[in-house]
Amino acid sequence: MRISGGAAKGIPLRIPKKGRLRPASGPARERLFSSLGNLVIGASFLDLFAGSGSYGLEAVSRGATQGAFVEQDARIANFLGRNLAAVCKSAGRSEKSYEIISGDALRAAPRLEGPFDLVFVDPPYPILEDIAPKLFARLLEDELTGEKTLLALELPGEMELAPEGWILERRLGKARRGSPTHSLFRKA
């Protein structure tokens, strides 16, 4: 798996060989970031359920100036730290502008103040429907999102979500069983 665009294009992302990590596919990331276009340049981001960090790191490579990654598994967060160092070095950015939090995406508080311009959410599919109401409510209550925030949620093609307080702006990808898609939300 590699960064697909921007200043760090081609940099490989390391992930543990064993574990339950489901990294975002290259084509799915490329589709999302092609859709986001210039919204990434100069943006701040929050990458929840970060895993390898592929969404946030893609944003770093494409010009996001600050961000926070939240990953509950400390071992995976360690890999994420190495990936962040490699991408920042290649993109000529300071690692100090980005933070990695080893904690629960429903509770972790980034030191960077919101609202974030972009929020990437890629939870394990089996828990998505259960945690979605709490997660979307938390993002509103803790003021991590604002009027201009765009939230990109990766979910399986067969799943539909309509979180309270949010409007689905558009859906990227084909709604086929098992195929990853992105739902792009804004505050209602």
Side-chain angles (χ1 to χ4, degrees):
M1 180 170 61
R2 298 180 178 277
I3 296 294
S4 65
K9 182 177 181 176
I11 295 295
L13 300 180
R14 308 287 181 218
I15 59 172
K17 293 195 187 310
K18 294 181 181 178
R20 60 188 197 286
L21 194 61
R22 176 195 41 81
S25 72
R29 280 185 290 121
E30 183 61 37
R31 181 175 52 240
L32 174 62
F33 280 90
S34 291
S35 176
L36 296 176
N38 290 335
L39 292 175
V40 180
I41 298 170
S44 63
F45 68 84
L46 179 61
D47 187 350
L48 299 173
F49 304 94
S52 66
S54 62
Y55 285 115
L57 294 171
E58 196 74 51
V60 171
S61 179
R62 293 171 185 252
T65 55
Q66 63 178 357
F69 300 85
V70 179
E71 170 53 47
Q72 188 165 355
D73 186 313
R75 188 179 72 124
I76 293 172
N78 188 31
F79 276 85
L80 172 52
R82 288 185 249 160
N83 289 336
L84 177 61
V87 169
C88 284
K89 181 178 180 182
S90 181
R93 300 201 181 281
S94 170
E95 287 180 62
K96 294 178 183 176
S97 298
Y98 311 95
E99 69 175 313
I100 297 172
I101 301 166
S102 184
D104 184 345
L106 295 175
R107 292 181 191 80
R111 71 174 158 74
L112 298 170
E113 288 188 25
F116 290 92
D117 300 309
L118 298 167
V119 177
F120 303 107
V121 183
D122 185 14
Y125 290 169
I127 68 167
L128 181 53
E129 286 185 290
D130 289 337
I131 63 141
K134 293 178 221 161
L135 179 66
F136 279 92
R138 184 261 166 133
L139 290 168
L140 293 174
E141 291 164 7
D142 292 353
E143 298 179 353
L144 296 171
T145 56
E147 299 304 317
K148 295 182 180 181
T149 301
L150 184 65
L151 184 144
L153 171 68
E154 182 179 317
L155 68 166
E158 69 275 10
M159 187 180 288
E160 299 272 339
L161 287 178
E164 189 175 328
W166 295 83
I167 297 170
L168 177 63
E169 193 170 271
R170 66 185 179 273
R171 183 115 181 223
L172 306 173
K174 297 192 177 173
R176 291 189 307 230
R177 183 162 189 78
S179 177
T181 63
H182 290 95
S183 288
L184 303 180
F185 292 96
R186 292 206 188 264
K187 284 174 60 172

